[in-house]
Amino acid sequence: MSTFRISADGLLRLAGTGMLADRIAESMGRNVSPAERRSWSRSLQVLGQDLADAGLGQVEVLVEYQLPLTSKRVDVVLAGVDPKTADDSYVVVELKQWSYAESYEGSDRLVAVEHARGPRLHPGLQVEQYCEYLTDFLGILSGHRNPVRGAAYLHNAVDRDVNDLFIRRANEQSRIFTKQRRGQFLDYLRAHLAPKSGAAAADRFLTSSVRPSRHLLAYAAQELKERSHFTLLDEQRVAYELVLHAVERARSADRKSVVVVSGGPGSGKSVIALSVLGELARQQRAVMHATGSRSFTQTLRRYAGRGSTRLKNLFGYFNSFMSAERNGLDVLICDEAHRIRETSVNRFTPKAKRDKSRPQIDELIAAARVPVFLLDEHQVVKPGELGNVEVISTYAKQLNLDVEVVSLHGQFRCGGSDEYEQWVVDLLGLDGGEPWVWTGDGRIDVRLAESPEELEAFLAGKQAPGVTARMSAGYCWPWSDPRPDDTLVPDVQIGGWSRPWNVKSDRSVGDAPGSAFWATDPNGFGQVGCVYTAQGFEYAWSGVIIGPDLVARDGRLVTRREESKDPAFRSRKAVSDAEADLLIRNTYKVLLTRGMRGTMIYSTDAETRDYLVSLVKVSRPVETTYEPETRPL
């Protein structure tokens, strides 16, 4: 594990030598900023001294513990023995160097911090969410009542300068301590940790099995019907609270505002969207969820809206608001907002509504008092899609509207591996970085296949009840209509291997599900998915076929638009070579980041296969131990 582990006595000794930050950075196996090193040196020395003064020198200290299945890290987990029961005891400590903080516009969940841009999550709520997440995901904690305690320690602050933080009522998982309350902090530690060795408890914590993460669609149905609960962490919770705060502000102060949430694949954008939707629907607010994806919207209607026309009607499309009443909704949640188009007009639009002069973004902003946009700028894969932070923010500011922007930095797909997502971005040359060798980070299984047969056989072997696997590919083969006998044409042909694309329409063809349900219906395995049916979804195991539209030449990946069979790329007048190049690269970014547990890659080009072999040399196996998945969709 990349967690840095040491006893409390050892922590204090190492801090005294000035080598603590170096040792932690070495255990992390990544570049660490000078600011992060300074933070460790200052805060951990204070914590080490407090533990020593509390007589808890044998407690185990887990520094920068990475939450299972995410890229999020907890500052410190203390592992030891409960002084009352002699059971394992764990205390999460969030260390804050803040010296001043106040409530953000009267909120008891968001705070404004000196010298920080934008609101931050209340530290008590932050640590409480960490405790909740650990309880949900670690097998060793299941069945225990309050198995994890939590505290935020503001060791540079005095009470009067952070007084607003105490307005929020605390519990054993959300305590707040300042340097002025150091004595109370020591008493709190002694109440939950005995002066005994915590080594065995730390062993069990670090080797615990991990329960599978909740499937988005199962969560969506429970959230809307049963008030289910999905733990939102850090920036996710900030985004959620900002939307609810903006709704209240719009009501009480008649003040319209726009919220933009930007994050990569698996950062939790859709979970935030559905959490907001469920909460506002329960509050009887006028709220809708909209996307530009037929597959995503139809799937949400099927799973989340099953058995209820009212719930189905909560889900619409971006082009559904051409004639909407201005501010007729309290909130419009625009999920997958990178798919916003220049105009809502298409070939199916009635003549009376064909006003091509009105931008689609104007329709969406006008439809609600609080329009919310959730997007990933690297997922623009179709000509005419223009949703990004700058476009939306600029347009809203031209209307003199307040704009709140939240950037999500966590990773909840791809085994919680930020490193893998960055590897994909650099491999595809999307942010100016250079490709580098993937050696593994213990979070996600990345493999290469030598043939499509090997790819399919591997994925077939991974499938199990509740465990999904899918094959997808770049759009490099023709796409035929079904045969008269209701069978699919195996258009994707590679040597002697062939398989059909996913179904074109929403109607099933034989056993194959309609296109909207390829990613979620068990019978979707056996067809090859395209980017339009994969985007917005996730599955445990992903197999990606890189077609001849992306090949390695002279040590770098280049695109060949002439190999694409996407009709949108036919006209160079409509789509320039530069635009086609970016869209092809973005397509593979989407396909390569669908897998929760692992991804296997195959290229149809021999030189590209050799190139990938030079860049995938796994030396560190996946470390996470999973419990069997039992949750159905």
Side-chain angles (χ1 to χ4, degrees):
M1 297 289 288
S2 58
T3 300
F4 178 70
R5 174 180 174 178
I6 194 169
S7 71
D9 282 340
L11 179 74
L12 189 58
R13 284 196 302 270
L14 195 56
T17 68
M19 298 295 292
L20 177 60
D22 291 336
R23 289 285 303 276
I24 298 173
E26 183 182 322
S27 75
M28 300 282 286
R30 62 173 174 83
N31 292 327
V32 175
S33 69
E36 198 168 7
R37 288 173 176 268
R38 287 193 298 272
S39 176
W40 290 333
S41 297
R42 295 168 182 171
S43 293
L44 291 173
Q45 183 162 13
V46 172
L47 179 63
Q49 188 63 60
D50 288 343
L51 288 167
D53 291 349
L56 301 175
Q58 295 184 73
V59 165
E60 290 284 297
V61 183
L62 309 179
V63 180
E64 293 290 331
Y65 172 76
Q66 188 166 352
L67 293 173
L69 304 177
T70 86
S71 62
K72 292 291 183 183
R73 291 182 177 273
V74 175
D75 286 347
V76 170
V77 178
L78 302 176
V81 178
D82 189 295
K84 301 182 186 68
T85 66
D87 293 334
D88 292 345
S89 181
Y90 305 103
V91 178
V92 175
V93 182
E94 186 66 16
L95 297 164
K96 298 293 186 188
Q97 297 190 58
W98 304 349
S99 55
Y100 182 85
E102 62 183 0
S103 169
Y104 176 78
E105 297 185 351
S107 172
D108 68 346
R109 295 179 176 87
L110 298 173
V111 298
V113 181
E114 192 174 28
H115 306 309
R117 293 181 60 185
R120 301 290 183 88
L121 192 62
H122 187 291
L125 181 56
Q126 179 186 9
V127 75
E128 183 179 28
Q129 299 297 99
Y130 289 159
C131 294
E132 208 167 86
Y133 190 92
L134 287 167
T135 303
D136 285 345
F137 281 85
L138 288 187
I140 192 175
L141 303 179
S142 64
H144 295 277
R145 185 178 179 184
N146 297 325
V148 187
R149 277 84 174 186
Y153 188 22
L154 285 69
H155 55 83
N156 288 338
V158 294
D159 285 8
R160 67 174 177 274
D161 292 332
V162 293
N163 198 49
D164 286 359
L165 300 185
F166 297 106
I167 295 173
R168 181 175 177 79
R169 190 171 183 178
N171 57 41
E172 285 302 291
Q173 295 183 323
S174 63
R175 296 289 297 276
I176 300 286
F177 298 97
T178 63
K179 67 178 179 182
Q180 191 173 334
R181 302 188 181 204
R182 180 175 181 268
Q184 294 178 28
F185 181 53
L186 300 191
D187 289 342
Y188 173 81
L189 294 175
R190 293 189 192 102
H192 300 303
L193 296 164
K196 298 179 180 179
S197 171
D203 289 347
R204 286 186 280 272
F205 189 85
L206 292 174
T207 58
S208 173
S209 61
V210 176
R211 303 175 204 170
S213 58
R214 302 178 62 189
H215 195 288
L216 175 67
L217 297 175
Y219 164 65
Q222 293 171 345
E223 171 63 35
L224 296 180
K225 295 175 182 176
E226 306 168 16
R227 194 179 183 128
S228 180
H229 184 65
F230 201 105
T231 303
L232 301 175
L233 300 175
D234 297 347
E235 302 95 351
Q236 292 180 333
R237 187 61 185 256
V238 169
Y240 172 87
E241 296 294 348
L242 266 177
V243 174
L244 298 187
H245 184 71
V247 171
E248 184 58 32
R249 186 173 61 193
R251 183 194 65 78
S252 60
D254 194 23
R255 184 175 162 191
K256 177 165 177 160
S257 58
V258 175
V259 179
V260 183
V261 182
S262 173
S267 56
K269 297 183 297 296
S270 292
V271 169
I272 295 168
L274 292 168
S275 297
V276 169
L277 181 69
E279 178 59 29
L280 293 175
R282 284 188 289 273
Q283 292 181 16
Q284 303 296 308
R285 301 282 192 178
V287 59
M288 278 192 69
H289 178 285
T291 79
S293 166
R294 184 181 65 180
S295 295
F296 198 34
T297 295
Q298 289 293 333
T299 303
L300 286 171
R301 284 177 174 173
R302 169 185 276 194
Y303 289 100
R306 179 180 291 159
S308 170
T309 302
R310 183 184 68 83
L311 292 181
K312 280 187 172 72
N313 290 337
L314 293 177
F315 300 98
Y317 296 99
F318 292 157
N319 62 4
S320 303
F321 301 91
M322 298 172 71
S323 304
E325 176 188 354
R326 183 170 294 274
N327 294 332
L329 296 172
D330 290 313
V331 176
L332 175 60
I333 303 165
C334 300
D335 203 354
E336 302 273 299
H338 40 266
R339 303 196 68 171
I340 291 173
R341 304 185 69 80
E342 294 178 15
T343 174
S344 294
V345 173
N346 58 41
R347 60 195 177 98
F348 302 110
T349 305
K351 188 174 181 179
K353 295 184 178 181
R354 286 179 174 267
D355 178 9
K356 290 190 176 181
S357 64
R358 190 182 186 193
Q360 188 174 79
I361 190 171
D362 185 73
E363 297 167 2
L364 297 172
I365 289 177
R369 288 185 172 275
V370 181
V372 181
F373 299 91
L374 302 105
L375 58 89
D376 175 3
E377 295 176 347
H378 284 321
Q379 288 200 48
V380 174
V381 298
K382 197 171 186 177
E385 295 177 344
L386 49 76
N388 63 49
V389 174
E390 183 179 0
V391 167
I392 295 170
S393 299
T394 299
Y395 198 92
K397 288 174 183 176
Q398 288 172 354
L399 298 174
N400 294 318
L401 300 179
D402 295 331
V403 180
E404 297 277 8
V405 178
V406 181
S407 296
L408 304 176
H409 304 295
Q411 171 59 258
F412 292 76
R413 194 180 287 150
C414 306
S417 175
D418 268 339
E419 190 174 351
Y420 172 71
E421 186 191 352
Q422 190 60 52
W423 181 79
V424 171
V425 168
D426 291 340
L427 172 72
L428 297 171
L430 287 172
D431 273 345
E434 292 293 324
W436 44 279
V437 177
W438 174 260
T439 57
D441 67 349
R443 312 294 295 179
I444 183 170
D445 193 333
V446 180
R447 304 186 182 206
L448 302 177
E450 296 182 0
S451 68
E453 290 88 351
E454 180 186 357
L455 178 80
E456 185 175 33
F458 175 82
L459 295 174
K462 290 295 183 182
Q463 292 214 109
V467 181
T468 50
R470 292 292 182 272
M471 295 179 291
S472 61
Y475 198 168
C476 299
W477 292 267
W479 200 335
S480 304
D481 291 326
R483 298 184 179 109
D485 64 353
D486 216 26
T487 59
L488 297 174
V489 179
D491 286 314
V492 183
Q493 297 187 18
I494 305 170
W497 181 89
S498 63
R499 290 293 180 270
W501 286 110
N502 59 255
V503 175
K504 276 187 176 182
S505 69
D506 287 340
R507 183 182 65 85
S508 298
V509 176
D511 291 334
S515 62
F517 308 112
W518 167 82
T520 54
D521 189 302
N523 288 328
F525 189 80
Q527 305 115 49
V528 179
C530 71
V531 68
Y532 305 124
T533 48
Q535 192 171 32
F537 296 98
E538 59 194 30
Y539 18 90
W541 294 92
S542 173
V544 179
I545 299 172
I546 299 178
D549 61 345
L550 183 69
V551 296
R553 296 293 183 265
D554 300 321
R556 65 188 186 94
L557 288 176
V558 297
T559 59
R560 301 194 301 189
R561 71 177 290 168
E562 66 275 8
E563 295 291 346
S564 176
K565 296 298 187 289
D566 193 329
F569 288 178
R570 288 174 185 163
S571 170
R572 278 184 162 79
K573 186 176 180 180
V575 181
S576 69
D577 285 345
E579 289 172 318
D581 176 81
L582 179 60
L583 293 172
I584 290 170
R585 293 175 189 272
N586 279 352
T587 292
Y588 285 107
K589 166 75 182 331
V590 171
L591 298 182
L592 288 165
T593 52
R594 299 301 96 191
M596 294 288 287
R597 297 192 185 178
T599 299
M600 178 174 268
I601 309 167
Y602 170 75
S603 171
T604 59
D605 178 74
E607 186 174 338
T608 308
R609 290 197 295 274
D610 291 341
Y611 176 72
L612 291 172
V613 166
S614 73
L615 292 176
V616 179
K617 298 182 182 297
V618 177
S619 59
R620 185 176 175 189
V622 176
E623 298 170 347
T624 306
T625 303
Y626 294 94
E627 292 183 359
E629 291 186 17
T630 57
R631 297 181 181 87
L633 285 178

